[in-house]
Amino acid sequence: MTADGLEIRQSSASVWGSATELRNLKVVSKLIDTTTCIGCKACEVACQEWNDLHIVPTTQTGTYQTMPSLDANYWNLIKFREVEESGFFAWLLRKDGCMHCADPGCLKACPAPGAIVQYQNGIVDVNPEACIGCKMCETGCPFDIPRYSAKTDKMAKCTLCVDRVQVGLEPACVKACPTGCLEFGDKAELVAVAKARVEQLKQNGFTQAALYDPPGVGGTTVITVLAHGDHPEWYGLPKDPQVPVAVSLWKNVARPLAALAIAGSFFAMVAHYLSFGPKTPKEGAEKPKGDKPA
Amino acid sequence: MRSIPVADQRSGSGMGDAAMARARSTEDVVVGDEIVRERLSARVVHWIVALTFFVCLFTGLPIWTPYLGFLAHLFGGLHVCRILHPWAGVAFAVASVFMFVQWVSQMKLTKADREFITPKGMLRYFQYRNEDADVGKYNGGQKLLFWAAALGTVGLLITGLVIWFPLEFPQWVREASYLLHDAAFSLFFAMIIGHIYLGTAAEPGTFRSMIRGTVTKSWARLHHPRWYREVTGEKAGG
């Protein structure tokens, strides 16, 4: 279900668009400070509980991680990664889940009208009723977030607890976080908080600390403070995420060209008929006895 | 001379249509004023291919663009289209294999065919300036359609399977498949528009070859003179 009270900024496979721009809703944000995360997984539990998700069996992967990757019934996963490079060692924890891109690749790739919507406040949500289970969003997403459920033939992912946000509450994961490494609020304010934290980290010796708010997807609603900001891939984040070029090519170039080819063929045939008409035997052509005209 | 008298029917009863009775199992024979062009099995295979093609087309178009979303209502919604489309695609590919097998031996491009399908040759054909006495049962354009359809079907099937089961393939294969499926279907459809036009409005008397299975002698002499001579035994220029 989508949140009825929120204005929609853009919608998948939309012909006319649905933004009215009547209301000026602030863009929200969730700040993840990976440097203060202790890997307690309270956010995972809160997410499961608030969203009433089915229990997914855990998988032992040799780390503290609950399971190898996200699931249609598991939208919030703390990723534990060990990085060892030329004598340097780091144990990195990052909360994985939908980034709620300003320019969402999933929404771009989706062929079902209204199945993926972006609200005016920046949250990207899924409407299972409109979802046709084609999995194109999984190809469109540069963060490998949407998960297809074979049981329901639908896609599912984090909604940023839009049902809570809509009534002025913070997302369940933020509510549960005991260290304050998760914060929720206006994006502009949280970016300022994050930048201050990055400065602090730099002074503490993490000279490459940075805020991860990738411009390739227009920035993200979920922003992340990384101690090793020069190596987002250590955290399992793409260095420069983009909506796949093929998705843009396909929707913005290939599709109009294809429409042109089809319409061109049709109108060429009409023009041909009007100029040349049907092909019939020449007048006065010799016809053997008993032969019917075509 | 393979021409047989009208009275000699093989339909089992004396009441049936002689030409159609012959067209059930034979082709390239003269029956009265008609020549059998496509036997029953060839026509059935052709129409199964056509039907599955249009099911694929009309279930695919609403997924392709929301502007054609209304087509989804023909099948009960977009979700039905998404289920039906790949299975119709499989049926189309299977039927296409039968069509390929039945016609492939007649689709070898001759030297004259290669000239026919050059831009100059096609222009001559569309301007009705081709007085080519050497056109056999299928002209160069029809053979080109045959091979293009075969190639297009293979392309649509492979890319379609990737789109059907995207999670089994790497990202770049999926991306390429969406683009190629789009390109292949649009060229295929553009080609089929031409095919339908030529088979109906542009060349009267052609459509019956896919319904009755027969054409008139004058049609055959106009469009496929060499085939006409071969079937009737008449000499060139006759």
Side-chain angles (χ1 to χ4, degrees), chain B residues 129-153:
Chain B
R129 288 192 285 120
N130 58 326
E131 299 288 330
D132 193 353
D134 203 37
V135 174
K137 186 170 181 184
Y138 299 104
N139 67 36
Q142 289 172 300
K143 292 178 184 176
L144 179 68
L145 172 81
F146 174 85
W147 290 108
L151 184 71
T153 306

Side-chain angles (χ1 to χ4, degrees), chain B residues 184-203:
Chain B
F185 113 77
S186 53
L187 292 176
F188 207 123
F189 186 26
M191 186 171 79
I192 292 302
I193 290 172
H195 175 59
I196 293 169
Y197 169 64
L198 291 172
T200 56
E203 299 185 348

Side-chain angles (χ1 to χ4, degrees), chain A residues 6-51:
Chain A
L6 292 175
E7 181 152 326
I8 286 168
R9 188 192 298 170
Q10 55 175 331
S11 172
S12 59
S14 167
V15 174
W16 301 112
S18 26
T20 66
E21 294 183 5
L22 288 175
R23 298 157 72 200
N24 183 21
L25 295 175
K26 282 194 175 156
V27 174
V28 297
S29 179
K30 175 164 75 180
L31 169 64
I32 302 173
D33 184 355
T34 57
T35 62
T36 50
C37 175
I38 55 169
C40 71
K41 303 179 187 174
C43 54
E44 291 186 9
V45 176
C47 176
Q48 291 298 103
E49 289 208 340
W50 176 260
N51 292 298

Side-chain angles (χ1 to χ4, degrees), chain B residues 25 27 80 147 166 199 203:
Chain B
S25 54
E27 53 190 44
V80 182
W147 290 108
E203 299 185 348

